[in-house]
Amino acid sequence: MTDSSVILVLAIAAMLDYLIGDPWEWLHPVQVMGWAIGQYTRLAFQWFQTPQSLKLLGILLAILLIFGSGFTSWLILQVIRSIPLQFPLHPILDIGVQSIMLASCFALRSLRQAAEDVLHPLHDGDLIKARQQLSLYVGRDTTDLSESEILRAVLETVAENSTDGVIAPLFYALVGVAIPGIGSVPFAFAYKAASTLDSMVGYKEPPYTDIGWFSAKLEDILTWLPCRLNTLLIAIVSGKPRSVWTICQRDAIYDPSPNAGWSECAYAATLNVQLGGVNKYKGIIKHKPLLGDFISPITPAIVHQALQLTRKTFLIELGVFILGYGVIGLIVNRF
């Protein structure tokens, strides 16, 4: 692909995600990945019971899904490029398919829609509907949550998923651009597979304790660098980088997740709120470390600020890469 094609694909993909997102009626790659994971784990639990065998099957599952997703997306693009079309149509089709596939890896609009699905009934005073909507997006029990607890859950969801649902896929798409013969789409699809695995089987609780351990560890490793880079960018964008980074170093290290704590803490420190605290999962109370300082209560306006912050960091990272990639291309072509 030419330099201009790479930039065009990234720009169109970002625009498609912003304008359209992931329509419910469209088949999404994550749905296919989820179906494959479900079928695989069902057979694994049916035929194997020992922890050792399930751990080995978990490693195999991760390898098959991650490499399979990346290879399948690469193969689709090769088939598209092999279609005998007239010259003006061929690059248009190639760019169009790449843009649509890459857009499916970004979840910026979906994240915004998920937050609004909870905030709308909350604004109308319908706590029951807000709890029901929230239960679609979080693992904690939502039946008895107060308005403030609902708002905290929404903000934590936005802060955590901004990394693995928005920034990390972009990061790996940009990494893929630098790999000759592969490109952005296969790398983004491979990361999306790792993220989906973590969401579906990456739990410490039964029955996924053994079969999901490798997927959870691998996703932590893959997300570590984009999470830290995004935390640094959030700190810079906040206008108080030293304060945000200091609070993250103080609080994020106590979160059991090596990435979610940093992401949530960066948002909390930037927005002057506090995240973490008591959550209930299947009736069991769990205490998460407090992240940030309680300077202001969490309000719907704060949630919208968090969504704007996610969009801003996404566009900054994309813009910096496009600018740098373009400048490098000009220098290389000149000499």
Side-chain angles (χ1 to χ4, degrees):
M1 291 184 67
T2 63
D3 293 349
S4 59
S5 297
V6 169
I7 293 173
L8 196 57
V9 167
L10 290 168
I12 294 175
M15 187 180 302
L16 286 175
D17 176 60
Y18 178 77
L19 296 176
I20 301 175
D22 302 319
W24 286 98
E25 63 274 13
W26 292 13
L27 180 65
H28 194 278
V30 170
Q31 291 177 290
V32 179
M33 295 174 189
W35 176 86
I37 295 169
Q39 295 301 309
Y40 185 99
T41 53
R42 180 180 63 81
L43 292 173
F45 291 140
Q46 181 178 342
W47 292 100
F48 299 90
Q49 283 80 39
T50 65
Q52 293 81 0
S53 61
L54 289 174
K55 284 184 177 181
L56 289 174
L57 287 170
I59 295 174
L60 181 61
L61 170 61
I63 293 173
L64 289 174
L65 191 75
I66 293 172
F67 283 94
S69 298
F71 177 74
T72 300
S73 64
W74 177 85
L75 189 61
I76 290 172
L77 294 176
Q78 299 310 306
V79 171
I80 293 296
R81 290 162 184 165
S82 68
I83 297 176
L85 296 175
Q86 296 297 321
F87 175 75
L89 295 177
H90 205 283
I92 293 176
L93 180 62
D94 184 21
I95 290 173
V97 173
Q98 282 196 77
S99 300
I100 293 172
M101 293 177 70
L102 188 57
S104 71
C105 296
F106 302 148
L108 190 57
R109 184 179 178 89
S110 298
L111 191 59
R112 184 172 74 249
Q113 187 61 56
E116 291 177 349
D117 285 345
V118 180
L119 294 179
H120 284 161
L122 198 62
H123 178 267
D124 297 334
D126 191 346
L127 278 179
I128 295 177
K129 181 66 178 296
R131 291 165 181 157
Q132 291 173 343
Q133 289 298 124
L134 180 62
S135 68
L136 300 175
Y137 306 110
V138 300
R140 72 192 70 180
D141 298 344
T142 63
T143 307
D144 301 319
L145 293 184
S146 65
E147 180 176 347
S148 62
E149 290 172 324
I150 292 172
L151 286 168
R152 175 168 68 86
V154 174
L155 183 54
E156 288 174 351
T157 299
V158 170
E160 179 178 355
N161 287 282
S162 67
T163 295
D164 54 20
V166 180
I167 300 301
L170 174 63
F171 174 85
Y172 282 101
L174 301 182
V175 169
V177 170
I179 309 298
I182 298 181
S184 59
V185 174
F187 265 77
F189 264 66
Y191 176 80
K192 204 68 178 178
S195 179
T196 304
L197 278 165
D198 181 59
S199 298
M200 292 189 65
V201 301
Y203 298 100
K204 295 181 179 179
E205 296 80 13
Y208 301 113
T209 308
D210 297 312
I211 200 169
W213 74 275
F214 182 78
S215 294
K217 292 295 183 183
L218 181 61
E219 199 272 346
D220 285 344
I221 293 171
L222 293 176
T223 308
W224 192 92
L225 181 56
C227 177
R228 297 312 186 277
L229 291 175
N230 193 50
T231 299
L232 181 60
L233 179 57
I234 289 173
I236 294 171
V237 170
S238 72
K240 46 181 181 179
R242 179 174 296 180
S243 173
V244 171
W245 191 258
T246 299
I247 291 174
C248 287
Q249 289 181 310
R250 183 193 71 190
D251 296 342
I253 58 175
Y254 296 106
D255 194 278
S257 169
N259 298 312
W262 279 84
S263 186
E264 290 181 26
C265 196
Y267 278 78
T270 298
L271 300 171
N272 296 320
V273 298
Q274 190 172 70
L275 298 177
V278 177
N279 295 329
K280 188 185 292 185
Y281 299 88
K282 296 180 181 179
I284 300 174
I285 293 178
K286 294 187 178 182
H287 296 267
K288 291 193 66 176
L290 296 176
L291 305 171
D293 299 318
F294 185 83
I295 299 174
S296 304
I298 301 172
T299 64
I302 292 290
V303 176
H304 283 294
Q305 289 178 34
L307 291 168
Q308 292 171 3
L309 181 60
T310 302
R311 183 166 61 249
K312 184 182 294 185
T313 54
F314 176 84
L315 292 175
I316 289 174
E317 292 186 24
L318 180 61
V320 168
F321 175 83
I322 289 176
L323 179 61
Y325 189 80
V327 170
I328 292 173
L330 287 174
I331 294 174
V332 170
N333 292 332
R334 181 166 187 145
F335 295 99

